[in-house]
Amino acid sequence: MTRISVTVDGAEAVDEVEPRTLLVQYLREQRGRTGTPVGCDTSNCGACTVLVDGRAVKSCALLAVQADGAEVTTIQGLANGELHPVQKAFHERHALQCGYCTPGMIMAAVDLLNEVPDPDERQVREGLEGNLCRCTGYQNIVAAVRDAAAELRGAS
Amino acid sequence: MTATRDREVGTARRRKEDAHLITGQTTWTDNIQLPGTVHAALLRSPMAHARIRVDASPARHEPGVVAAYSGADLADELAGLPSAWQVTPDWVAPEHKPLATDEARYVGDAIAVVVADTRAHAVDALDAIEVEYEPLPVVLDMEQAMADGAPLVHQDAGTNVCFRYSDTFGDVDAAFADAPVRVRRRFVQQRLVPCAMEPRAVLVAPVPATGEYTVWSATQIPHFVRLFLALLSGVPESRIRVIAPDVGGGFGSKLDIYAEELLAFVLAGKLGRPVKWTETRSEAFQATIHGRDQIQDLELAADADGRIRGLRVDLLADMGAYLQLLTPAIPLLGRAMFPGIYKMDAYRFGCTGVFTDKTPTDAYRGAGRPEATFAIERMLDELAAELSVDPLEMRRRNWIGHDEFPYDQIAGLTYDSGNYEAATARATELFDYDGMRAEQARRRETQDPVQLGIGISTYTEMCGLAPSRWLGDRGYAGGGWEAATVRILPTGKVEAVVGTSPHGQGHVTTFSQLVADTLGVPFDDVEVIHGDTAAAPAGLDTYGSRSLAVGGVAVWRAAQRVLGKAKTLAAHLLEVSEDDLEFSGGSFAVRGTPGATKSIQEVAFAAFAAHSMPDGFEPTLSADFVLEPDDFSFPHGTHLCAAEVDTETGRVTIRSYVAVDDVGTVVNPMIVEGQVHGGLAQGIAQALHEVARYDADGNLITGTMVDYTPPSAVDLPAFTLDRTETPSTTNPLGVKGVGEAGTIASTPAVVNAVVDALRPFGVRDVPMPCTPEHVWRALSEARGGA
């Protein structure tokens, strides 16, 4: 077992983990952050995307020990009482159906908009290429991310 | 105590479902953590066909292991899994044990189970299980499986043929004799993987002292899971509660009774502890049902002007190694849909179901209807090409006219309503059909290396699988009804208890809209309860676009009953006759007496308090309705696809896609549009991207998302959608069903576009998926043969 110190959604935690524990397993099983789901075992689907020190990371592609000292934000820590503009836009634009890919999709979008504040459709599609959705056909997701971009630009 | 003013039906209400999904406060089955839970992992056969001898006992000594069993260890305790649709009297339905006992029949067939304190320990301990595999001959190809002397998937059956089915309507031989035009084609519906984003999962919590069980399952069909667990285990239904909590997509793949559900149930009883199993994605590829997988031979006979005289269809349908819940019925669901929207004098349908050493197939989005629609829509294009007629004009010459509804089509269905002309006119306008054809001509003239193809699909489908008698006549063990309860609580809030079980379709929002309109209560005051057999004990769940067309109508009917009851009580309280009452905006008012009103909420409280009631009035405002539908509903539409095909690389790019669907009355246009988007994505994926491939030994070589390539955001275009509204006449709401429309219509539209682009080169078909390789090969062959 290895001791790690991680800030998860603003709360500092010190935990013992098996070295093989994936970050997503740690978040779900030891930190109770079940808002981040697992969709595949090949790091393709992106459902488990979280922010590690502000950058989108597929949390099944990182060991928990690699997050030692890091600040991790999951979907459950994104909103502080109010919805994040990306979350709000997903609701407004009907950018989710079953919702399983949604946490990862939202976290990836947040990172994308940090990098590219005014993305065109192509940039949104390319920015979310690593996150698979089986319900929406992506059109409403793209629209939501562009709406959120406009709101974030207006707010800044 | 306010009443709504605006009509909810037709309004794009934002979903009530979203709040917890966008904030991560979800209850996926795998999220549920109960004290004392043990975790199951399955050992799966790495060989497509092998005699097995399994010794699970060494695994029992591994760290954290609670129990380990081979199939033989549990043979007496595990019943065989059901197939609920006997399609012919003499079908072959081999025993299907949740754990194979002496033979494994596909890669992924479960052969042993370990239960341990953690999932990691359970997976680790699988390595300790000792298995001797004696390889047996493998059969993967349906035609080879039917040949004399072919290896048998099930030795005892003595054949790989599951069933042979045929039907003839009209005088087929006469229709084909002397027909000036005959078009014959073979199409292959490749095997697909449904790939819902949430893998399957099940958690069973027993209460040994009472013999009760609570089962959480990522399923579309909690009511059927409860029924079958009871049938297969002997535990009474009343002691089994099945909950489908948040369910992350299904597309038919969670419309099944799976080995792991029964296994977890039996082990939970045996061990007296909660047992959880969660599928890995790799397991999902191997051991969750696959879809499609048909070889389709079709022949059309037509007059010189293209009017269809007759159609012959012969299918081979791959069952895989075992029959799951509906496996043999899926190709037969398409039986009545091959004629599509076209008039013809005669039709013959034949289908042979074949066993192979592959993952079982079953319902995947559309289930038999996409396959049928693909075939007829491809044939219409081929017929048009044969006669050098525009494919849109060819459809016009053959489709059922707007003034001909209701129309008794050749295969015995009555299409209740439709307007193919209107949908097509709107689609061609949005698409700029003439402009696209002009551009196509230019590119052909200039020998542009990137050719433009225009693909058309004018489809119909049958939604709301019912009536029960129709299903029973065809060998289905279940029914097609749906149940609902609506009750106004003492505070005036409303509960709608429904038998459908959603997994992304937005039922809570849609049903809230229906109830709010009917009872005149605010949308936000309606709660929809679903997916839990304790809270919603009666229902037949969600599949086949039945939830609104059957379930929604049941909700509406129940709400009407509540309204009727409320009116009786309101009349009593206002001391007038019911005939003197008007109901609007959530209030009963006495005609001609201003101020004499009772809101429905006031009436609800009076019904609860029950202080003053008419004689014989039953307290509370609650009513049940079990709806047995009169008939199917038949959505339709016209889809147009423009595809750019690079003749040098074979790459296909969708340039524009227009879908005009007619799904009858629309309750929530935003949700309807979302359903179409998702359906289009899956249909386009079949046309261009996805195929489940096996190697010669029966290994699934597209066993991960890396290899299977479900489309990402960069692989799909933006869609242009519109709709016409021709209400269904088979239900009082006029609704039809939308979940499968996009999938059904889009695959032929895209492939027709690809073939259309390449027709000048002599290409007459491109096998799906139309990958650059397939396109390039089709071009090479056509050029070589020219």
Side-chain angles (χ1 to χ4, degrees):
Chain A
M1 301 292 265
T2 305
R3 181 181 295 255
I4 59 168
S5 169
V6 188
T7 303
V8 179
D9 293 334
E12 287 175 33
V14 178
D15 283 298
E16 298 279 334
V17 296
E18 270 195 86
R20 66 173 171 175
T21 305
L22 301 174
L23 177 58
V24 66
Q25 277 178 289
Y26 167 72
L27 291 171
R28 289 176 56 79
E29 291 163 22
Q30 286 179 255
R31 289 280 109 224
R33 309 314 272 175
T34 52
T36 300
V38 178
C40 72
D41 36 41
T42 48
S43 298
N44 274 84
C45 80
C48 68
T49 304
V50 300
L51 301 180
V52 176
D53 292 330
R55 295 309 309 269
V57 166
K58 293 178 179 179
S59 60
C60 71
L62 210 64
L63 295 166
V65 293
Q66 291 175 285
D68 187 27
E71 189 164 325
V72 177
T73 307
T74 78
I75 189 73
Q76 287 161 279
L78 186 62
N80 294 316
E82 284 184 13
L83 293 179
H84 186 279
V86 174
Q87 288 172 311
K88 207 163 63 184
F90 267 59
H91 174 60
E92 280 299 315
R93 282 289 192 163
H94 187 37
L96 64 149
Q97 288 178 31
C98 83
Y100 200 78
C101 74
T102 306
M105 201 65 87
I106 288 173
M107 301 314 278
V110 167
D111 186 22
L112 170 69
L113 296 182
N114 283 335
E115 289 292 302
V116 189
D118 188 11
D120 62 22
E121 180 182 335
R122 197 73 219 157
Q123 286 170 307
V124 174
R125 287 183 182 271
E126 283 169 3
L128 298 179
E129 192 180 359
N131 290 70
L132 297 178
C133 171
R134 201 66 169 163
C135 293
T136 64
Y138 301 105
Q139 184 152 337
N140 289 353
I141 292 175
V142 174
V145 173
R146 297 192 69 193
D147 279 2
E151 179 164 349
L152 283 164
R153 287 197 308 277
S156 61
Chain B
M1 297 260 177
T2 54
T4 50
R5 299 273 183 277
D6 301 327
R7 200 169 136 80
E8 287 288 342
V9 169
T11 304
R13 273 281 188 190
R14 298 299 178 266
R15 297 199 316 172
K16 292 179 174 180
E17 286 89 339
D18 291 353
H20 74 295
L21 298 172
I22 56 177
T23 53
Q25 297 167 65
T26 37
T27 313
W28 313 112
T29 298
D30 190 48
N31 290 1
I32 301 166
Q33 298 176 358
L34 299 177
T37 297
V38 288
H39 301 262
L42 297 176
L43 185 65
R44 298 183 183 277
S45 174
M47 307 194 77
H49 198 183
R51 198 158 288 128
I52 52 170
R53 272 177 297 280
V54 185
D55 182 2
S57 61
R60 291 174 194 150
H61 309 294
E62 294 294 306
V65 170
V66 174
Y69 304 106
S70 69
D73 293 338
L74 296 174
D76 296 338
E77 294 165 75
L78 287 176
L81 295 165
S83 184
W85 204 318
Q86 181 170 358
V87 292
T88 58
D90 58 349
W91 72 335
V92 173
E95 184 174 60
H96 180 194
K97 286 282 200 175
L99 292 177
T101 52
D102 50 7
E103 257 180 56
R105 294 187 172 88
Y106 67 95
V107 170
D109 205 355
I111 59 176
V113 60
V114 170
V115 183
D117 57 349
T118 66
R119 199 174 166 198
H121 279 146
V123 172
D124 287 347
L126 294 177
D127 288 342
I129 295 172
E130 291 174 4
V131 191
E132 284 175 48
Y133 296 97
E134 183 190 325
L136 294 170
V138 172
V139 62
L140 303 166
D141 177 272
M142 283 189 279
E143 288 177 312
Q144 286 172 12
M146 291 169 64
D148 289 340
L152 294 174
V153 179
H154 298 274
Q155 288 293 331
D156 296 349
T159 174
N160 287 322
V161 172
C162 173
F163 67 89
R164 290 182 198 276
Y165 178 98
S166 68
D167 254 339
T168 302
F169 305 90
D171 190 340
V172 177
D173 293 338
F176 275 82
D178 307 325
V181 185
R182 286 163 80 147
V183 179
R184 196 173 186 157
R185 291 287 185 276
R186 164 172 281 208
F187 302 121
V188 176
Q189 289 282 322
Q190 79 270 35
R191 181 174 272 254
L192 298 178
V193 178
C195 228
M197 288 307 297
E198 181 204 23
R200 286 188 293 122
V202 59
L203 168 63
V204 183
V207 182
T210 60
E212 291 171 306
Y213 296 79
T214 304
V215 180
W216 289 266
S217 182
T219 183
Q220 297 174 224
I221 51 167
H223 296 93
F224 281 106
V225 170
R226 179 178 62 164
L227 170 62
F228 281 105
L229 289 178
L231 288 171
L232 299 173
S233 70
V235 175
E237 281 150 286
S238 58
R239 293 193 191 150
I240 304 172
R241 175 184 182 188
V242 178
I243 301 169
D246 287 325
V247 176
F251 317 116
S253 71
K254 292 172 181 168
L255 160 56
D256 227 308
I257 307 299
Y258 280 102
E260 296 85 358
E261 284 166 319
L262 180 58
L263 199 54
F265 187 83
V266 168
L267 290 174
K270 198 174 165 71
L271 300 171
R273 301 175 66 171
V275 173
K276 184 193 266 190
W277 172 79
T278 301
E279 191 180 54
T280 65
R281 181 58 61 183
S282 306
E283 283 182 292
F285 271 92
Q286 290 185 354
T288 292
I289 62 99
H290 292 175
R292 314 283 189 259
D293 209 345
Q294 293 180 1
I295 297 173
Q296 310 176 308
D297 284 302
L298 285 92
E299 191 170 15
L300 270 182
D303 289 341
D305 65 355
R307 199 188 64 83
I308 299 169
R309 290 185 178 186
L311 172 65
R312 290 184 184 134
V313 176
D314 277 299
L315 301 186
L316 291 180
D318 198 335
M319 307 285 100
Y322 299 99
L323 301 184
Q324 285 277 353
L325 194 63
L326 306 174
T327 304
I330 301 307
L332 300 185
L333 281 176
R335 177 196 72 113
M337 287 280 96
F338 278 91
I341 64 168
Y342 308 112
K343 297 183 278 193
M344 56 188 72
D345 305 324
Y347 167 47
R348 183 156 74 218
F349 171 86
C351 177
T352 305
V354 185
F355 290 109
T356 59
D357 289 304
K358 290 183 286 192
T359 301
T361 55
D362 204 322
Y364 173 48
R365 203 164 189 163
R369 285 140 314 161
E371 297 91 320
T373 302
F374 176 84
I376 190 67
E377 288 306 300
R378 284 287 296 114
M379 290 301 277
L380 260 288
D381 262 35
E382 295 303 305
L383 179 63
E386 189 82 17
L387 294 173
S388 300
V389 172
D390 181 279
L392 206 48
E393 170 58 23
M394 184 54 72
R395 285 165 173 80
R396 285 193 186 102
R397 288 182 192 175
N398 283 290
W399 72 33
I400 299 152
H402 180 46
D403 53 356
E404 295 176 88
F405 291 95
Y407 185 84
D408 296 327
Q409 54 96 276
I410 185 77
L413 297 175
T414 302
Y415 294 166
D416 61 329
S417 71
N419 189 340
Y420 309 139
E421 295 91 332
T424 304
R426 183 69 185 128
T428 49
E429 181 191 336
L430 285 170
F431 186 75
D432 184 18
Y433 188 80
D434 295 338
M436 284 284 185
R437 283 283 178 215
E439 183 182 335
Q440 177 182 55
R442 280 199 299 277
R443 290 201 192 203
R444 285 178 177 175
E445 278 162 26
T446 59
Q447 297 183 347
D448 192 325
V450 179
Q451 288 288 309
L452 185 68
I454 295 163
I456 301 163
S457 170
T458 47
Y459 75 100
T460 188
E461 61 158 326
M462 42 199 260
C463 285
L465 204 56
S468 301
R469 182 187 296 175
W470 187 95
L471 295 166
D473 287 347
R474 282 155 186 79
Y476 179 50
W481 51 266
E482 193 50 82
T485 301
V486 171
R487 50 190 177 234
I488 312 185
L489 303 175
T491 56
K493 307 289 189 203
V494 180
E495 286 180 346
V497 183
V498 300
T500 60
S501 187
H503 33 283
Q505 297 93 337
H507 292 181
V508 169
T509 299
T510 303
F511 294 165
S512 292
Q513 291 178 275
L514 286 178
V515 171
D517 267 359
T518 309
L519 298 179
V521 299
F523 169 77
D524 288 329
D525 280 1
V526 185
E527 187 99 17
V528 176
I529 295 167
H530 63 78
D532 177 346
T533 63
L540 294 180
D541 308 315
T542 289
Y543 41 86
S545 293
R546 69 188 298 277
S547 291
L548 183 59
V550 186
V553 176
V555 170
W556 183 79
R557 289 278 194 200
Q560 290 287 334
R561 278 192 174 165
V562 167
L563 185 65
K565 232 182 132 177
K567 189 173 193 182
T568 302
L569 184 55
H572 172 78
L573 296 171
L574 292 163
E575 298 179 340
V576 294
S577 139
E578 281 185 49
D579 297 338
D580 296 330
L581 287 183
E582 266 177 356
F583 180 70
S584 74
S587 273
F588 296 97
V590 181
R591 262 189 216 98
T593 313
T597 62
K598 285 278 178 198
S599 73
I600 196 159
Q601 291 89 351
E602 289 173 300
V603 176
F605 192 84
F608 161 74
H611 296 160
S612 172
M613 302 191 303
D615 289 342
F617 189 87
E618 196 180 343
T620 79
L621 287 188
S622 176
D624 300 326
F625 198 95
V626 180
L627 180 88
E628 174 61 32
D630 296 334
D631 205 342
F632 298 97
S633 59
F634 297 94
H636 69 84
T638 297
H639 289 212
L640 294 170
C641 174
E644 292 182 346
V645 182
D646 188 323
T647 57
E648 289 169 357
T649 65
R651 185 185 159 86
V652 176
T653 308
I654 294 180
R655 153 110 154 256
S656 112
Y657 196 101
V658 170
V660 177
D661 295 291
D662 193 324
V663 297
T665 304
V666 169
V667 177
N668 186 316
M670 179 191 77
I671 287 176
V672 163
E673 197 166 277
Q675 289 275 297
V676 174
H677 285 168
L680 292 176
Q682 289 189 24
I684 291 170
Q686 174 169 15
L688 297 182
H689 301 283
E690 297 180 8
V691 57
R693 284 185 210 280
Y694 287 83
D695 70 11
D697 297 323
N699 296 300
L700 179 64
I701 56 176
T702 50
T704 70
M705 283 174 165
V706 187
D707 312 296
Y708 186 70
T709 64
S712 77
V714 296
D715 299 313
L716 291 169
F719 310 114
T720 304
L721 264 51
D722 202 354
R723 62 174 188 273
T724 55
E725 276 196 31
T726 313
S728 172
T729 61
T730 57
N731 67 70
L733 298 181
V735 297
K736 291 181 176 175
V738 67
E740 292 150 322
T743 305
I744 287 172
S746 59
T747 312
V750 174
V751 176
N752 276 340
V754 173
V755 175
D756 184 54
L758 302 178
R759 212 176 276 286
F761 301 87
V763 171
R764 296 198 307 174
D765 198 20
V766 177
M768 290 191 289
C770 300
T771 56
E773 184 196 342
H774 280 175
V775 171
W776 190 85
R777 281 182 191 281
L779 263 169
S780 304
E781 279 167 28
R783 283 168 165 158

